């Protein structure tokens, strides 16, 4: 009898503890606005996973599958309230990380946070990008290659409703990050002294993006580093290892320099931890954002300028790392190359960080009715960049670049774009000063534009807006206005971090 009573006391005790724990609020993670701002230029943070922080997007894309992605404003609002257009109604906690449009107006944009009756933030739509209203300042807010963009983080605690006080909204994209595990204070233009100082530093880094160096990004786990420099001759058919280590750590960045032309017969390869397949195995020109065989991309993270090719995407590894160049031609002149690798011995935190991988893809005349794939992968990780060269197979015709991008995270479509150049924060190709020539900005740009040759391309990298996934990820883009019917020659490089190969 006593034994039976003891068992009952144990059971009821467990039930009481369970009820107590179930009723006890789970402590939410703290959120610091200055840290969010800082992440706009903290490349050392790129490998870090974000759990339960799904990124989604609201846009003006044609919900019927057509190409009316904002021309008439048909799909450019959720509903009307008092003759105003509600363009977003987000439930929090969360953060808006990116706002894009090629068609800002003089109408007022109103932000209602946490159910408030009167908007606490009212701003002329154009002044999100004009550098006239603090803290929406250049270069994290601005215009380039035909599109207007805002990367100033706009957090919200419970909700955020955005309303256009005007008759017509055209093209737009609002990308936001759901953060249910965080305690967040809603946005205010009255920044703290710490946030003001951080914003100033981030803007300075973005302003000098065209001449990046390792010192700029030497923070956090990238704070200390060593440099291994090597000069060598590379002959046709030869493969040369320019960095190797058996000590756990991370590559913080690398440079490849040559006064000679580095043609597309040269590949760059990297293997982490003796994995069976290389993490990087890409033609050098594609990796560094060439277009039509010429240097084009000069961004903050990756690019080339003059004879210098650089990458500052961190590459953590567990035990070994090897990087090499391969000269895949059967004949040709020897190339004289100098490489620099910046690295340290800060080993990867396997629970909190992924390893950098890339996927190179080229497809001539993709199958009709199917998107061109940027990346399809399984595992836990996040997507951080796209380089895309686009060649139409009919001259004097660019309609293939009307295709929309789409992104599926863990089996659900989270992002649907409004046009190919829009994905790269651009707009209005073949118009003077818009998407009509190669131009690089810190994290996006146009690689090329040539109407007669039907050639263009773009690049975009992610910082605070990186696309996290827990199980699987897919991103692709249409070729043609509708139905994926236009014949093209597409090539691309996808950059992503993953927990395992």
């Amino acid at each position: 009898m006593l034994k039976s009573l003891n068992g009952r006391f144990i059971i009821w005790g467990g039930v009481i503890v369970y009820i107590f724990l179930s009723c006890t609020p789970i402590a939410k993670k703290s959120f610091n606005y200055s840290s969010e701002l800082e992440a706009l230029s903290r490349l050392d943070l790129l490998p870090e996973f974000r759990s339960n922080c799904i990124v989604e997007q609201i846009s003006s894309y044609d919900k019927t599958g057509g190409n009316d992605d904002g021309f008439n404003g048909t799909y450019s609002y959720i509903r009307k309230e008092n003759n105003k257009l509600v363009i977003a109604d987000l439930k929090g906690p969360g953060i808006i990380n990116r706002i894009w449009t090629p068609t800002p107006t003089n109408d007022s944009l109103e932000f209602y946070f946490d159910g408030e009756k009167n908007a606490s933030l009212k701003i002329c739509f154009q002044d999100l990008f004009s550098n006239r209203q603090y803290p929406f300042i250049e270069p994290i807010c601005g215009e380039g290659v035909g599109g207007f963009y805002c990367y100033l983080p706009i957090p919200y605690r419970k909700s955020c409703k955005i309303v256009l006080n005007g008759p017509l909204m055209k093209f737009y994209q609002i990308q936001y990050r759901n953060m249910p595990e965080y305690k967040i204070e809603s946005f205010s233009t009255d920044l703290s002294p710490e946030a003001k100082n951080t914003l100033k530093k981030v803007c300075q880094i973005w302003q000098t993006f065209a001449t990046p160096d390792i010192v700029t990004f030497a923070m956090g786990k990238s704070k200390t580093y060593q440099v291994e420099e090597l000069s060598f001759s590379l002959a046709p058919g030869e493969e040369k290892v320019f960095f190797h280590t058996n000590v756990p750590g991370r590559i913080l960045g690398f440079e490849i320099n040559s006064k000679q032309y580095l043609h597309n017969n040269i590949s760059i390869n990297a293997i982490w931890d003796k994995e069976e397949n290389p993490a990087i195995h890409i033609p050098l020109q594609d990796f560094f954002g060439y277009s039509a065989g010429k240097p084009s991309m000069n961004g903050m993270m990756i690019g080339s300028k003059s004879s210098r090719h650089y990458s500052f995407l961190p590459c953590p590894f567990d035990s070994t790392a090897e990087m090499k160049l391969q000269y895949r031609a059967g004949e040709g002149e020897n190339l004289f190359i100098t490489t620099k690798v910046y690295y340290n011995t800060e080993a990867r935190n396997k629970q909190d960080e992924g390893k950098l991988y890339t996927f190179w893809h080229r497809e001539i005349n993709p199958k009709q009715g199917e998107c061109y794939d940027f990346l399809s992968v399984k595992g836990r990780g996040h997507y951080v960049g796209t380089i895309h060269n686009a060649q139409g197979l009919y001259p004097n015709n660019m309609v293939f670049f009307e295709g929309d991008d789409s992104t599926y995270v863990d089996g659900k479509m989270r992002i649907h774009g409004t046009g190919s150049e829009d994905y790269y924060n651009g707009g209005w190709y073949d118009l003077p000063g818009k998407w009509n020539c190669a131009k690089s900005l810190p994290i996006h740009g146009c690689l090329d534009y040539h109407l007669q040759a039907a050639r263009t391309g773009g690049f975009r990298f992610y910082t605070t807006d990186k696309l996290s996934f827990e199980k699987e990820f897919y991103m692709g883009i249409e070729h043609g206005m509708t139905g994926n019917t236009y014949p093209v020659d597409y090539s691309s490089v996808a950059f992503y971090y993953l927990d395992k190969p």
Side-chain angles (χ1 to χ4, degrees):
M1 182 65 179
L2 181 60
K3 183 176 180 180
S4 176
L5 288 174
N6 285 340
R8 292 177 183 177
F9 282 129
I10 292 172
I11 293 172
W12 279 107
V15 170
I16 292 170
V17 170
Y18 174 78
I19 294 173
F20 174 78
L21 291 175
S22 300
C23 296
T24 302
I26 299 174
K28 291 196 172 186
K29 300 175 184 177
S30 60
F31 170 80
N32 183 278
Y33 188 68
S34 291
S35 297
E36 182 73 14
L37 284 170
E38 192 177 35
L40 285 165
S41 60
R42 284 281 302 273
L43 302 192
D44 60 294
L45 300 176
L46 281 180
E48 291 187 2
F49 294 130
R50 283 176 173 164
S51 296
N52 202 21
C53 289
I54 297 297
V55 174
E56 298 185 280
Q57 179 173 281
I58 293 176
S59 77
S60 56
Y61 81 94
D62 189 333
K63 309 305 187 291
T64 69
N67 196 45
D68 184 12
D69 294 317
F71 293 103
N72 299 308
T74 307
Y75 306 99
S76 300
Y77 62 94
I78 299 172
R79 62 182 182 273
K80 291 184 178 181
E81 291 182 358
N82 301 319
N83 293 320
K84 300 179 182 180
L85 304 180
V86 178
I87 63 172
D89 196 357
L90 312 177
K91 305 305 177 186
I95 303 172
I96 296 170
N97 285 120
R98 170 182 172 263
I99 300 175
W100 164 91
T101 183
T103 51
T105 65
N106 285 318
D107 299 310
S108 174
L109 206 60
E110 303 172 353
F111 291 76
Y112 296 80
F113 297 104
D114 310 326
E116 60 189 5
K117 293 184 178 180
N118 298 311
S120 57
L121 172 60
K122 292 183 179 181
I123 184 171
C124 174
F125 192 9
Q126 290 186 345
D127 287 343
L128 273 182
F129 323 101
S130 68
N131 201 40
R132 289 197 291 260
Q133 185 162 332
Y134 189 85
F136 299 94
I137 59 175
E138 294 179 346
I140 63 168
C141 302
E143 188 269 340
V145 294
F148 296 78
Y149 60 91
C150 172
Y151 279 97
L152 183 76
I154 303 176
Y156 46 95
R157 181 168 58 93
K158 292 183 179 179
S159 63
C160 177
K161 183 172 69 173
I162 307 176
V163 177
L164 180 77
N165 189 358
L168 179 65
M169 182 74 174
K170 289 191 173 182
F171 300 88
Y172 79 98
Q173 298 176 8
I174 298 173
Q175 188 173 313
Y176 59 97
R177 186 164 98 241
N178 297 297
M179 302 183 66
E181 296 178 357
Y182 286 79
K183 182 179 180 181
I184 293 178
E185 292 300 319
S186 292
F187 178 77
S188 169
T189 57
D190 185 18
L191 302 187
S192 69
E194 179 189 16
K196 289 180 179 179
N197 188 49
T198 302
L199 179 59
K200 181 179 179 180
K201 290 179 179 178
V202 169
C203 287
Q204 288 173 344
I205 293 174
W206 278 43
Q207 286 166 349
T208 58
F209 75 92
T211 55
D213 58 47
I214 190 61
V215 176
T216 304
F217 307 116
M219 293 176 276
K221 292 182 178 179
S222 300
K223 187 174 183 179
T224 61
Y225 60 89
Q226 303 176 57
V227 184
E228 184 166 312
E229 186 170 351
L230 187 65
S231 297
F232 54 90
S233 173
L234 189 65
E238 186 178 8
E239 191 174 77
K240 182 70 175 182
V241 174
F242 63 89
F243 180 77
H244 180 83
T245 180
N246 291 319
V247 178
R250 64 191 62 219
I251 294 169
L252 314 179
F254 63 92
E255 298 179 25
I256 298 173
N257 300 278
S258 179
K259 294 182 179 180
Q260 296 168 275
Y261 177 66
L262 298 181
H263 46 70
N264 220 30
N265 283 325
I266 307 210
S267 294
I268 180 169
N269 303 325
I271 298 176
W272 318 136
D273 306 318
K274 299 181 180 180
E275 292 169 354
E276 182 178 354
N277 296 315
I280 301 172
H281 181 57
I282 298 173
L284 182 143
Q285 289 190 358
D286 291 340
F287 184 90
F288 289 108
Y290 277 50
S291 179
K294 297 179 181 179
S296 177
M297 187 174 73
N298 182 207
M300 180 173 70
M301 301 183 194
I302 300 181
S304 62
K305 189 172 185 179
S306 187
S307 61
R308 177 183 181 237
H309 302 72
Y310 60 88
S311 171
F312 293 105
L313 290 176
C315 305
F317 51 90
D318 301 331
S319 58
T320 67
E322 181 178 273
M323 301 191 73
K324 56 188 176 182
L325 292 176
Q326 183 182 14
Y327 195 163
R328 295 178 288 105
E331 58 182 21
E333 64 176 355
N334 287 11
L335 300 173
F336 297 93
I337 296 172
T338 298
T339 60
K340 290 182 181 180
V341 178
Y342 306 96
Y343 69 101
N344 65 23
T345 54
E346 287 278 350
R348 180 176 78 108
N349 184 321
K350 297 180 183 180
Q351 296 299 317
D352 298 333
E353 294 181 300
K355 291 187 274 189
L356 179 70
Y357 295 94
T358 59
F359 177 67
W360 179 83
H361 184 206
R362 182 182 182 187
E363 200 166 350
I364 301 174
N365 201 7
K367 186 176 180 180
Q368 289 198 9
E370 295 183 4
C371 287
Y372 170 86
D373 297 343
F374 285 145
L375 179 67
S376 180
V377 70
K378 294 185 182 296
R380 179 191 183 204
H382 44 272
Y383 189 90
V384 297
T386 307
I387 301 173
H388 176 202
N389 275 288
Q391 174 70 65
L393 299 185
Y394 298 143
N396 297 298
N397 195 326
M398 303 292 286
V399 297
F400 60 88
F401 222 54
E402 288 290 312
D404 300 345
D405 61 281
S406 56
T407 300
Y408 291 74
V409 175
D410 297 333
K412 179 181 178 181
M413 190 181 76
R414 307 282 183 172
I415 295 174
H416 196 295
T418 53
S420 299
E421 80 276 26
D422 306 355
Y423 169 73
Y424 304 104
N425 287 325
W428 308 122
Y429 43 81
D430 207 36
L431 293 180
K434 303 297 183 180
W435 189 276
N436 71 329
C437 64
K439 182 179 180 180
S440 291
L441 286 89
I443 58 176
H444 70 271
C446 177
L447 293 176
D448 197 0
Y449 186 86
H450 196 290
L451 177 59
Q452 289 75 24
R455 183 178 66 243
T456 187
F459 73 91
R460 177 178 167 190
F461 285 87
Y462 299 72
T463 54
T464 55
D465 56 331
K466 63 187 182 184
L467 307 177
S468 299
F469 51 95
E470 298 293 332
K471 297 178 181 179
E472 59 182 320
F473 179 87
Y474 171 82
M475 181 187 287
I477 198 163
E478 296 174 323
H479 46 101
M481 292 186 289
T482 59
N484 291 298
T485 59
Y486 200 92
V488 295
D489 178 355
Y490 274 4
S491 63
S492 60
V493 182
F495 298 83
Y496 60 103
Y497 288 88
L498 203 65
D499 56 350
K500 56 186 177 182

